Amino acid sequence: MSSASLVKMANQIAHYFDSEPNRALAVQGVRQHLQSFWTPAMRRQLLEWIAANDGEGLDPKVREALG
């Protein structure tokens, strides 16, 4: 899967949790989704992309969830 697709999907997941007023719960929701529904290879590829691109264009909740 392309890194651009992974970033897009991760941002969509994060935006789903935008309505959660508690940021910690929103980040936890993103983290749980990535752990439950993404393969380890997908998570690894996204982490590699973040390292190479400083996470530019990625929702901060995703970065926090992975960090």
Side-chain angles (χ1 to χ4, degrees):
M1 182 171 290
S2 75
S3 295
S5 293
L6 292 175
V7 169
K8 180 180 176 182
M9 290 189 313
N11 282 338
Q12 289 173 332
I13 294 163
H15 293 310
Y16 174 82
F17 290 98
D18 282 346
S19 63
E20 172 58 60
N22 183 320
R23 181 173 174 80
L25 288 177
V27 170
Q28 180 182 0
V30 172
R31 181 181 303 118
Q32 183 61 46
H33 184 93
L34 295 175
Q35 287 291 338
S36 296
F37 300 107
W38 283 36
T39 66
M42 291 168 71
R43 292 191 302 270
R44 186 172 43 254
Q45 184 178 348
L46 183 59
L47 287 169
E48 290 169 357
W49 180 88
I50 291 169
N53 297 284
D54 291 327
E56 187 173 330
L58 191 63
D59 188 288
K61 289 185 293 297
V62 177
R63 284 184 273 178
E64 194 173 333
L66 292 171

